[in-house]
Amino acid sequence: MDWKRTREPADAWHMTDDLHVEHGKGDPFAAAIRATRMSMIITDPRQADNPIVFVNDAFLRLSGYERHEVLGKNCRFLQGSKTDKATVDLLREAIAEKVDVSVDILNYRKDGSTFWNALFISPVSNDRGELLFFFASQLDVSDRKRSEHRMTADKERFEKAVKERTRELEAALEAQTTLLHEVDHRVKNNLQMISSLIVMQSRTIKDAATKKSLTTMLERIEALSTVHRRLYQSKDVSRFDVAEFARDLVTDLLTASGRAEIKSTLDLEPIVISAEKATPVALMVNELVTNALKHAFKEKPDGTTAGRIGIKMSQPDGHFNIEVSDDGVGMADASGDASFGMRLIKSLARQLHADIEWRDAGPGTKVVISMPNEPQQKGNVS
Amino acid sequence: MIEPLKVLIVEDEALLAMELESLVEEAGHSVVGWATSSTEAKAMVDSTEADIAFVDIHLTDGPTGVEVAEYIGEKKNSMVVFMTANPKRIPDHFAGAIGVIAKPYTMNGLMSALRYLQEGVHRPPPKSVLPAGFTLSPAFKTVWAPAA
């Protein structure tokens, strides 16, 4: 190594005395500082504006300056227009407070190009605690900063893409929800219209049997209407609370039927079934209840038709059981409409894989339907 | 015997309005008018005396039923019950309405609702049970059906 090339001006040399190190070629400490690839400088805070009093070759290589251009100057010539002001303030404060500081700062070379400098500055004091120097090391971390920036940019790009995609999906969901509401609205309106048409037609009919037949038809359609009304009232349109439906149905059939003498006993566990089972289950319950109301409570010898109709819904081990009971005249006679009703019940039971059994409850009849049901979710659907 | 109701129907579907009119009259009440749009409805509110107005949310001039309810609310000459297949469109405050009969309603459900409303309008609070498919607004719920 050519030590002459790196020889410092005379005034820079006194620092090695203060650092209690011998100077000169044989001094391993000074030699190490001069030769290391780590850029290092020393400044003298006891001189005006804290000038640089020593720089090693690594600093000159990093910054692109000549030694004579930097000695005697304050380090701020390394800063430029894009250097972060807050970081500079941090350095200034640390120097004023005479404490260690470590920052990443954007510095400028002589040719105006920039590099990220991992700067470390620490004060050096003598035994008496007097501040002698600031020792600063610089490390070019532009590569690390670049990858940091790249990562930040990537992250921002991803976040933007995710945001955009989320927006698209939200818009799609909203469109779908609007469509669902529209279809729901139409289905309900049409069901209402069908009911209205039947009622109006029925008004013009004089024949009692035909009228009765239309009324039965209306009841079935209204059972479907009640399903639809309840189905889209809940938050989850794929689930259906069959107990709530039964409550509506029985209230509806009893309150306005003018048959206040028939009392109902409802023993309903909240049971949720999938929406596709809602219609067949509802139709079946409707058949059983209307059947009981029509056929079971015939006029008794004392002239009254008082009675009790009971619905029980329970779910023992993975099954869903419905019991419709009455204390009426016993098994309904299977004639006319009743036989169609019976066929309907049996077909729906097949569709639902349900077992159905008529029991003589003496007095009255009890119909027990049992079908497999999926596990119940916690919480209510509505 | 409670006096019958005078009913205003605000409904864009002729078939439903016709049927509702028949049911209202069958139940012994009278229909004082039928409007299909918010404009018609407002004019009718100004020119007729009704105890109760059945108001659909969707009318021939758009989803203007809530506006009609607000107009009736300002006039204070009748009470409003929404009748809609889309109860979710009703604002939380119900625009002052008593409640909503969700479509599709059943004939029995509507008859029960008429009886319930007759009691509620002329002899509040109503004695009958709240009919299936009839939902009271929060304001009327506290008065007509306080939690036991």
Side-chain angles (χ1 to χ4, degrees):
Chain A
M1 268 225 156
D2 180 4
W3 294 112
K4 279 181 185 161
R5 200 167 58 79
T6 58
R7 185 154 296 231
E8 305 297 331
D11 63 334
W13 277 103
H14 69 271
M15 66 170 187
T16 45
D17 300 334
D18 289 311
L19 290 168
H20 312 293
V21 191
E22 253 186 86
H23 67 272
K25 279 186 184 178
D27 176 357
F29 176 78
I33 295 235
R34 286 196 172 92
T36 182
R37 281 184 293 171
M38 167 73 88
S39 163
M40 293 173 181
I41 65 175
I42 293 171
T43 66
D44 183 353
R46 290 178 299 183
Q47 293 186 47
D49 203 25
N50 194 13
I52 295 171
V53 294
F54 168 85
V55 296
N56 69 359
D57 287 357
F59 175 81
L60 299 174
R61 279 194 296 275
L62 175 65
S63 66
Y65 286 99
E66 299 289 333
R67 183 165 276 109
H68 67 86
E69 290 174 310
V70 298
L71 285 175
K73 281 189 184 160
N74 182 285
C75 292
R76 75 176 68 87
F77 65 85
L78 290 167
Q79 297 160 18
S81 58
K82 286 184 181 162
T83 306
D84 181 48
K85 298 287 173 284
T87 311
V88 174
D89 289 344
L90 215 65
L91 289 176
R92 192 175 297 136
E93 276 166 36
I95 288 164
E97 300 283 323
K98 298 165 191 165
V99 292
D100 286 355
V101 64
S102 162
V103 294
D104 287 351
I105 185 167
L106 187 74
N107 278 160
Y108 286 71
R109 293 191 187 86
K110 188 184 176 183
D111 64 5
S113 62
T114 59
F115 64 98
W116 276 97
N117 179 2
L119 176 61
F120 182 80
I121 302 177
S122 53
V124 179
S125 304
N126 65 13
D127 291 341
R128 293 186 297 280
E130 294 161 348
L131 178 67
L132 301 179
F133 304 111
F134 282 103
F135 176 82
S137 67
Q138 292 86 12
L139 188 64
D140 184 352
V141 290
S142 300
D143 286 349
R144 169 162 68 78
K145 279 286 171 184
R146 254 196 299 280
S147 58
E148 275 175 24
H149 281 144
R150 203 167 43 240
M151 273 162 68
T152 310
D154 281 351
K155 196 168 154 254
E156 275 166 12
R157 207 168 54 244
F158 281 133
E159 277 172 1
K160 202 172 155 224
V162 167
K163 250 184 219 158
E164 219 154 84
R165 187 78 185 120
T166 307
R167 229 184 347 258
E168 280 170 22
L169 288 172
E170 277 169 354
L173 180 66
E174 203 184 308
Q176 204 193 13
T177 308
T178 309
L179 186 66
L180 179 68
H181 281 168
E182 180 56 30
V183 171
D184 168 44
H185 186 246
R186 282 189 207 170
V187 168
K188 285 171 172 171
N189 255 333
N190 284 344
L191 281 165
Q192 190 73 70
M193 299 246 221
I194 294 165
S195 298
S196 296
L197 285 169
I198 296 169
V199 174
M200 281 188 275
Q201 186 77 64
S202 172
R203 272 197 199 100
T204 66
I205 290 169
K206 298 279 174 287
D207 177 53
T210 315
K211 219 176 169 89
K212 196 176 144 199
S213 177
L214 278 177
T215 304
T216 306
M217 184 152 104
L218 177 68
E219 282 163 355
R220 287 178 185 137
I221 285 159
E222 287 189 339
L224 299 184
S225 297
T226 304
V227 169
H228 268 272
R229 201 177 62 226
R230 290 226 72 98
L231 197 55
Y232 293 96
Q233 268 171 5
S234 66
K235 281 189 197 107
D236 182 356
V237 295
S238 65
R239 320 290 300 158
F240 181 74
D241 188 334
V242 70
E244 285 302 313
F245 163 79
R247 205 181 302 277
D248 269 12
L249 181 82
V250 172
T251 311
D252 192 69
L253 290 172
L254 285 184
T255 51
S257 64
R259 300 184 66 173
E261 73 281 6
I262 299 173
K263 302 290 178 213
S264 64
T265 309
L266 302 179
D267 178 6
L268 305 170
E269 274 180 47
I271 295 170
V272 174
I273 57 174
S274 59
E276 65 262 29
K277 285 186 188 165
T279 301
V281 169
L283 272 179
M284 202 150 64
V285 174
N286 177 65
E287 286 308 313
L288 294 172
V289 174
T290 52
N291 214 30
L293 285 175
K294 270 175 214 153
H295 303 288
F297 303 111
K298 299 253 166 73
E299 198 171 309
K300 290 174 183 167
D302 60 4
T304 66
T305 51
R308 182 166 290 280
I309 182 161
I311 301 186
K312 186 178 175 191
M313 289 188 180
S314 57
Q315 38 186 348
D317 46 84
H319 274 69
F320 163 32
N321 292 351
I322 311 171
E323 286 179 31
V324 179
S325 57
D326 64 70
D327 58 358
V329 295
M331 295 284 194
D333 49 340
S335 68
D337 182 66
S339 73
F340 170 66
M342 199 67 86
R343 261 173 56 212
L344 190 59
I345 292 169
K346 284 179 177 161
S347 304
L348 292 168
R350 250 185 82 188
Q351 180 185 340
L352 291 162
H353 305 290
D355 293 321
I356 184 156
E357 196 191 328
W358 275 262
R359 293 180 195 160
D360 197 331
T365 312
K366 182 192 262 185
V367 185
V368 182
I369 303 165
S370 178
M371 68 189 88
N373 194 25
E374 58 263 60
Q376 296 290 297
Q377 290 168 340
K378 292 270 179 207
N380 204 318
V381 284
S382 57
Chain B
M1 186 66 198
I2 308 176
E3 55 271 50
L5 294 170
K6 283 176 288 187
V7 176
L8 175 65
I9 298 171
V10 184
E11 162 71 66
D12 62 334
E13 286 289 352
L15 188 59
L16 298 190
M18 219 171 119
E19 171 51 22
L20 184 57
E21 184 172 354
S22 305
L23 285 169
V24 166
E25 284 171 353
E26 255 172 44
H29 308 290
S30 60
V31 174
V32 295
W34 166 38
T36 60
S37 68
S38 62
T39 321
E40 254 180 52
K42 285 175 192 171
M44 231 167 249
V45 169
D46 292 339
S47 63
T48 59
E49 284 288 321
D51 298 309
I52 202 146
F54 289 124
V55 180
D56 189 6
I57 298 283
H58 288 265
L59 302 173
T60 50
D61 53 356
T64 51
V66 177
E67 202 184 303
V68 172
E70 280 163 357
Y71 187 81
I72 294 171
E74 282 164 26
K75 294 270 157 185
K76 294 186 198 310
N77 56 2
S78 50
M79 292 167 115
V80 174
V81 173
F82 286 114
M83 268 187 149
T84 177
N86 203 349
K88 282 171 186 165
R89 292 288 296 250
I90 299 169
D92 291 341
H93 54 80
F94 270 72
I98 296 172
V100 57
I101 296 173
K103 286 180 190 166
Y105 49 82
T106 62
M107 298 310 137
N108 290 344
L110 189 76
M111 291 312 216
S112 309
L114 281 170
R115 195 165 52 229
Y116 182 81
L117 287 167
Q118 186 180 15
E119 293 168 5
V121 171
H122 292 308
R123 303 273 194 284
K127 284 180 194 63
S128 307
V129 290
L130 186 68
F134 191 114
T135 309
L136 285 174
S137 70
F140 273 84
K141 197 172 180 183
T142 54
V143 186
W144 282 14

